[in-house]
Amino acid sequence: MSYDNNNIFAKILRGEIPCKKIYEDNYVLSFHDINPQKKIHALVIPKGKYVDLDDFSQKASPEEMVGLLKGINLVAKKLSISVDTGKGYRALTNISEHGGQEVPHLHFHLFGGEKIGKMVE
Ligand code: 5GP
């Protein structure tokens, strides 16, 4: 699947649609999910144009990969859900049709602030 420049997260990255920003650096943008499924539900997205984790794994530079992983950790710390600052969380990314992905720009969901429950429901 080729990258759709008009997906909702591309518009958020361009500032065309507002978001409740949590964190931003050269590699990632993080904001609260518009429809939170848990007490804390954040999204972390790379700034580069990647459809999903498979696309990212094949095309992103080492710097982008490190930037995304570090970004997830920084956001978790900022939200006080990391192992350092809180009680842990779940990081999850949906990939394509069977994964249930709705927005075709790679994003990690961070769920926390309460027990998250079963891995798959
Ligand atoms: P997916 O199903 O693709 O893994 O998750 C997409 C997520 O994006 C959903 O949890 C949905 O609530 C969230 N979302 C969709 N549109 C918007 C939006 O305009 N703003 C924000 N902050 N989140 C959105």
Side-chain angles (χ1 to χ4, degrees):
M1 186 203 238
S2 59
Y3 185 82
D4 171 13
N5 277 307
N6 285 320
N7 78 74
I8 203 98
F9 293 168
K11 289 180 180 174
I12 287 176
L13 277 170
R14 291 196 296 267
E16 293 167 12
I17 289 178
C19 69
K20 283 170 67 183
K21 192 193 287 187
I22 299 165
Y23 176 77
E24 181 172 16
D25 62 24
N26 287 337
Y27 297 105
V28 297
L29 175 66
S30 176
F31 46 93
H32 292 281
D33 196 287
I34 204 167
N35 182 23
Q37 301 299 308
K38 293 291 171 190
K39 211 165 180 179
I40 293 174
H41 184 175
L43 298 170
V44 182
I45 72 174
K47 288 200 163 169
K49 297 177 178 182
Y50 301 103
V51 177
D52 57 29
L53 188 62
D54 282 352
D55 190 32
F56 185 78
S57 301
Q58 291 172 75
K59 296 182 193 154
S61 68
E63 291 77 18
E64 289 176 300
M65 292 185 184
V66 171
L68 178 57
L69 286 178
K70 293 226 177 248
I72 290 171
N73 177 247
L74 286 167
V75 170
K77 279 186 174 159
K78 199 161 183 193
L79 293 171
S80 298
I81 58 175
S82 74
V83 172
D84 301 341
T85 59
K87 294 188 172 175
Y89 63 103
R90 180 168 299 154
L92 178 152
T93 186
N94 294 319
I95 300 172
S96 201
E97 190 186 339
H98 280 191
Q101 183 178 8
E102 286 172 9
V103 179
H105 180 113
L106 171 61
H107 50 282
F108 276 86
H109 298 259
L110 307 192
F111 300 106
E114 61 183 317
K115 285 218 175 180
I116 304 309
K118 281 190 187 169
M119 184 108 104
V120 178
E121 290 183 2

